[in-house]
Amino acid sequence: MTKDFIANYQAHTNIALIKYWGKRNQDLMLPVTSSLSLTLEAFYTQTQVHFSKDYDEDQFILNDQIQSAQERQKISRFLNRFRQLKNTDLKAQVTSYNHVPTAAGLASSASAFAALACSCNEALELKLSQEELSIMARFGSGSASRSLFGGFVEWEKGQGDDSQSSYAHPFDEADWDIGMIALVVNQKAKKFSSRQAMQHTIETSPFYALWAEEVAKDLEAIKAAIKARDIQKIGQIAEHNAMKMHATMLAANPSFSYFQAESLKAMEAVRQLRKTGLTAYFTMDAGPNVKIICPYSQVAAIQEKLSQDFDPQNIIVSRPGPQPFSIPLINQ
Ligand code: FM0
């Protein structure tokens, strides 16, 4: 009888409060700066991997759809790193589901590669540590290195070209009054990948010279604010950090931006919330959606106010999320 290697894991996505924007080494996926995120409960990926002699080639099925050769190749390259560690050439079937309420366009490579790394580790009985898995996930997508942990997570930039020195670790459990609201805007916005966008920014934006220094300061300040559980400070620092990242893109040549008209409207709505005495700050990533940092105890009041100007279906509330965990196998 042939032994099959199979496992299924759930990993949650994360939103950076201090952003990762740029690589110092593209081949090794090493970032220019450290970064810090909050893992979210509401958005996650479940990924089963099955290594077996029955497969002649790797297969990748996402949300019940067989994926293109291009998508499959990305997965195959990622699987190769695990095959190397196990010294096997078994092919695999990867079956993945993105759990994102509505068609929110928040599906993230972060939860996807974190879940796949965990499943490969268990299926192939590699017994890698969380830190080693964070390094493995990083090779799929930089932000995925942070989804190996729950709550507030810091991804260390590491040293030089030492690939093993850059991984994430938990910073704070976030088991206190903090939440995040995703405000989904304009899902039809043209997408361009963060990978290309950050490289173009490094190569052409004169403002990028300031970025690393600003991140270092913001990171120290937000860590103190998290330890003090000062949401107002956390929000102020995160909002400013996100805007500085987007400013580097506005100064790129040619310039580009992820801001849509609706994103600007959402940011203004958050500023108005503050005028009414609520504690709410925004952040934005490589897409038009706006995410709001707030005390969880204020989400109902914020939701109600935002519902006057935005479709309630597009306002998605989340608590902080957990680290990846094993889930039952799906039927073959
Ligand atoms: O998450 O080229 O990880 O810190 O989301 O795959 O490493 O998709 F706002 C942008 C994430 C970038 C900030 O980039 O890029 C953050 C961002 P890859 P990712």
Side-chain angles (χ1 to χ4, degrees), residues 124-239:
L124 296 175
E125 300 162 348
L126 292 168
K127 299 197 161 54
L128 297 178
S129 68
Q130 289 293 102
E131 282 173 0
E132 287 168 318
L133 283 174
S134 174
I135 292 169
M136 295 299 272
R138 193 190 81 219
F139 282 107
S141 191
S143 52
S145 66
R146 298 185 306 241
S147 275
L148 266 297
F149 303 97
F152 289 105
V153 178
E154 183 182 11
W155 170 20
E156 302 271 2
K157 68 177 169 32
Q159 296 98 42
D161 283 339
D162 178 6
S163 170
Q164 298 303 305
S165 68
S166 181
Y167 49 82
H169 60 84
F171 180 73
D172 181 283
E173 285 180 38
D175 52 350
W176 41 282
D177 188 19
I178 187 150
M180 201 172 259
I181 300 174
L183 197 47
V184 178
V185 304
N186 190 357
Q187 294 160 36
K188 288 188 215 91
K190 192 166 172 283
K191 289 183 188 141
F192 44 105
S193 81
S194 42
R195 189 160 303 184
Q196 288 167 344
M198 64 176 80
Q199 196 52 32
H200 175 66
T201 306
I202 288 194
E203 285 164 12
T204 68
S205 176
F207 289 8
Y208 195 79
L210 290 170
W211 176 244
E213 219 176 294
E214 292 298 311
V215 167
K217 281 189 244 167
D218 289 347
L219 198 55
E220 283 321 299
I222 208 165
K223 281 158 83 170
I226 290 169
K227 284 303 170 205
R229 301 191 174 185
D230 184 341
I231 295 215
Q232 206 171 331
K233 253 256 170 71
I234 294 169
Q236 280 167 357
I237 298 163
E239 186 174 300

Side-chain angles (χ1 to χ4, degrees), residues 16 19-21 23 29 109 141-143 146 194-195 198 245 285-286:
K19 307 294 186 189
Y20 144 56
W21 195 246
K23 298 175 184 68
M29 298 289 281
S109 55
S141 191
S143 52
R146 298 185 306 241
S194 42
R195 189 160 303 184
M198 64 176 80
M245 176 183 75
D285 294 289

Side-chain angles (χ1 to χ4, degrees), residues 9-29:
Y9 263 76
Q10 174 167 327
H12 289 248
T13 197
N14 71 78
I15 299 296
L17 302 182
I18 304 300
K19 307 294 186 189
Y20 144 56
W21 195 246
K23 298 175 184 68
R24 66 176 188 276
N25 183 323
Q26 292 182 75
D27 294 333
L28 296 177
M29 298 289 281

